[in-house]
Amino acid sequence: MKMKWITTNAIVAALYIILGFLVQPLVFGAVQFRIPELFNHLIVFNKKFFWGIILGVFITNLFSPLGWYDLVFGVSQSVISMLIMFIVMHYLKGQVARMIANTLVFSLTMFIIAFELYLAFDLPFFASWLFASFGELTVMGIGIPIMYVLNKRMKLDSL
């Protein structure tokens, strides 16, 4: 069973990285539409997807033009958001409600990325937060029906 989860998380990380590289111009910078962020919804189905997502974020951020900033702030934003969601999920039932909450949590915590952009490029904090949050809200919002259908076909919640 342990090997199954290691393999599953390796696949999630690989998919995150591949999708990140395919849309690389949209992944980094002040206005981002990081398409692989839709994988963040996997934790709604099973908390064990945490490691695959974090590994995918980390490896993708190794190639960021922001360098170490993205390794520290980008990975931290993902970890903090998912930890918040682990708490929120105790109070919310239903996968769609949890994915909506997940979308909101990840979008709101984009202030961490806004702070990173402020430090790295001296970009205005609130404008960066607005643009980064908009991109996250858009990608993860579109990801809700995609992940819902994927779960119906692949039974992500019973892996």
Side-chain angles (χ1 to χ4, degrees):
M1 193 62 158
K2 188 176 181 181
M3 184 56 73
K4 178 182 175 181
W5 273 107
I6 291 171
T7 305
T8 302
N9 274 301
I11 292 168
V12 168
L15 289 171
Y16 190 105
I17 295 161
I18 290 166
L19 195 52
F21 283 122
L22 287 175
V23 295
Q24 194 167 22
L26 300 172
V27 172
F28 304 110
V31 179
Q32 355 181 322
F33 289 95
R34 190 176 270 215
I35 310 298
E37 287 287 284
L38 64 89
F39 290 120
N40 293 334
H41 288 309
L42 288 172
I43 62 160
V44 166
F45 304 106
N46 196 317
K47 294 177 186 178
K48 291 180 182 178
F49 285 115
F50 174 88
W51 296 109
I53 297 165
I54 293 303
L55 183 60
V57 171
F58 180 81
I59 293 173
T60 301
N61 286 353
L62 282 173
F63 300 94
S64 169
L66 294 170
W68 70 269
Y69 282 108
D70 236 0
L71 287 174
V72 173
F73 292 97
V75 174
S76 296
Q77 187 266 341
S78 294
V79 169
I80 290 167
S81 298
M82 284 191 268
L83 293 176
I84 291 169
M85 273 309 297
F86 292 157
I87 295 166
V88 169
M89 287 191 298
H90 286 292
Y91 301 101
L92 280 178
K93 301 299 176 209
Q95 295 165 340
V96 173
R98 286 178 172 185
M99 285 190 282
I100 290 169
N102 197 30
T103 300
L104 295 174
V105 166
F106 269 87
S107 297
L108 291 173
T109 58
M110 290 302 279
F111 73 86
I112 297 168
I113 304 305
F115 185 63
E116 170 190 8
L117 294 169
Y118 170 75
L119 291 176
F121 296 129
D122 200 29
L123 293 175
F125 174 79
F126 288 107
S128 297
W129 189 9
L130 178 69
F131 288 125
S133 293
F134 175 74
E136 192 77 359
L137 187 68
T138 302
V139 168
M140 289 189 68
I142 291 168
I144 292 172
I146 293 169
M147 296 308 283
Y148 185 80
V149 169
L150 258 172
N151 179 52
K152 291 290 183 196
R153 283 195 67 67
M154 298 179 67
K155 309 287 186 228
L156 298 168
D157 51 359
S158 62
L159 279 176

